[in-house]
Amino acid sequence: MILDSFSLQGKVAIVTGCNTGLGQGMAVGLASAGCDIVGVNQSEPAETKQKIEELGRKFIDVRADLSKTDDIPNIVDRSVTELGRIDVLVNNAGIIRRNDAIDFSEQDWDDVMNVNVKSVFFLSQAVAKQMIAQGEGGKIINIASMLSFQGGIRVPSYTASKSGVMGVTRLMANEWASHNINVNAIAPGYMATNNTDALRADEKRNKEIVDRIPAGRWGKPEDLAGPCVFLASAASDYVNGYTIAVDGGWLSR
Ligand code: NAP
C-alpha cells in the first residue's frame, strides 16, 4: 500500500530550531507520521514538546548554539544515547539580518553564514557519519529559501547563505547517495513566522508580497509538514539533491 511508504513509525528525527515557526510545524508533522523527535534549540521548546508528547511520541530537548560548531557532538551523542539512532535530520534553524548592501557589516555577514550554512554542513557531516555507521541510510532535509533562487533586497548574507544551502545540498547528495542517504532541501516561500514579522508589519511590503503570491496568502508552518514527511520517508527514496519550493506558486510567477 503506497501510504505505508510515508510512515515514519519507529524513526528518530533531529529538528533544529523547532521551538517555534517552521521548525515546530515540521517537527509536529514528523511526529504525526510516527517519529520521535530530538529538538535542538537555544531557548526552551515547551510548546513543541507538549504538542509532540500529545501525539504519543518522545521529545528530547537538546540545547545548543548553532552559531558555532562546538555543540554538534553533543547533539549526536544525546540522540544516540537517548533514542538509539538517527534516521532523519532537518536543518531548520536560521537567522536573517536586514540592511542595505552598501552598509552591510562583517558581523551581520558572519553571524548569518555561521548559523545558516556552516552549522548546516557540519551537523549534516556528523549525522551522516552516524547514519553510515548504522548502515541503513537516512534522510537529511535542509531549509533553503526563495533566496536560494532569487537575489532579494537588503539581505546579502541571507541570500548568500541560502544559495549556499542549495549548493551544498547537491554536494552532500552526490557524496552520500552511495550510503542510501538522501539530502534534499525545502525552499519555503513567504511564511508567517517571527522571521517575517518585520515584513508583515510593513503595510506596503506586506501588500506587495501577498499580491505577488498566486495562492494569495502567506504560508503557514503546517504547509511544510507534508513535504517534510515526504522527504523524510521511503516515498522519496529516489529523490536526491533537489530543492523543493513550497511557496504558494511564488517562483512560477
Ligand atoms: P523563526 O521563527 O525566527 O525561528 C528560527 C529558529 O531558529 C528558532 O527555533 C531559533 O531557536 C533557531 N535558531 C536561531 N539561531 C539559532 C542558534 N544560534 N542556535 C540554535 N538555534 C537557533 O524562523 P522561521 O521563519 O521559522 O525560520 C525557520 C527556517 O526557515 C530558517 O532557516 C529560515 O531562514 C527559513 N525560512 C523562513 C521563511 C519565512 O518566510 N519565515 C522563508 C524561507 C526560509 P531559538 O529561539 O532557540 O534561538
Side-chain angles (χ1 to χ4, degrees):
M1 158 96 167
I2 184 63
L3 287 181
D4 293 343
S5 70
F6 288 83
S7 171
L8 300 176
Q9 209 63 41
K11 306 267 185 200
V12 173
I14 299 174
V15 184
T16 67
C18 67
N19 61 344
T20 179
L22 305 184
Q24 184 181 76
M26 290 186 283
V28 170
L30 292 170
S32 311
C35 266
D36 290 328
I37 305 292
V38 179
V40 179
N41 299 278
Q42 298 185 101
S43 35
E44 192 186 355
E47 192 183 64
T48 306
K49 180 174 165 38
Q50 188 190 339
K51 283 175 186 269
I52 284 168
E53 289 177 350
E54 276 168 11
L55 290 164
R57 308 312 319 173
K58 291 185 189 141
F59 182 85
I60 307 295
D61 173 6
V62 177
R63 302 297 166 83
D65 177 4
L66 293 170
S67 67
K68 50 193 179 52
T69 54
D70 311 24
D71 295 336
I72 287 176
N74 185 50
I75 298 171
V76 174
D77 285 356
R78 292 265 322 266
S79 306
V80 175
T81 308
E82 294 180 46
L83 293 176
R85 53 186 298 110
I86 305 169
D87 301 290
V88 178
L89 166 65
V90 182
N91 280 306
N92 166 77
I95 59 172
I96 192 163
R97 298 278 165 78
R98 298 178 193 278
N99 204 353
D100 295 342
I102 207 78
D103 295 323
F104 210 76
S105 70
E106 191 172 348
Q107 187 75 50
D108 282 343
W109 180 272
D110 288 343
D111 289 351
V112 171
M113 294 298 277
N114 284 343
V115 177
N116 289 14
V117 67
K118 183 175 177 183
S119 287
V120 166
F121 176 73
F122 284 103
L123 181 56
S124 299
Q125 180 193 62
V127 166
K129 283 181 184 168
Q130 173 63 26
M131 288 171 170
I132 291 167
Q134 291 169 189
E136 293 173 25
K139 307 279 185 175
I140 298 177
I141 302 162
N142 297 323
I143 302 307
S145 164
M146 294 296 94
L147 301 190
S148 305
F149 301 92
Q150 302 176 317
I153 300 169
R154 303 187 75 246
V155 286
S157 54
Y158 190 80
T159 302
S161 69
K162 294 298 185 178
S163 298
V165 164
M166 186 160 80
V168 88
T169 294
R170 294 177 176 134
L171 172 129
M172 294 189 283
N174 292 337
E175 293 208 19
W176 300 337
S178 59
H179 298 285
N180 291 324
I181 297 172
N182 299 61
V183 189
N184 291 291
I186 293 174
Y190 284 79
M191 315 295 283
T193 67
N194 300 337
N195 176 302
T196 52
D197 273 348
L199 275 181
R200 281 176 295 122
D202 178 337
E203 238 173 75
K204 182 167 168 283
R205 281 291 283 143
N206 184 58
K207 183 171 178 348
E208 282 167 5
I209 288 167
V210 173
D211 284 350
R212 196 196 175 285
I213 301 172
R217 65 166 175 88
W218 285 79
K220 297 176 286 196
E222 309 86 87
D223 289 319
L224 295 191
C228 183
V229 167
F230 169 63
L231 289 178
S233 73
S236 62
D237 275 352
Y238 205 59
V239 180
N240 214 351
Y242 201 67
T243 298
I244 299 180
V246 181
D247 64 352
W250 174 277
L251 284 181
S252 305
R253 184 116 176 209

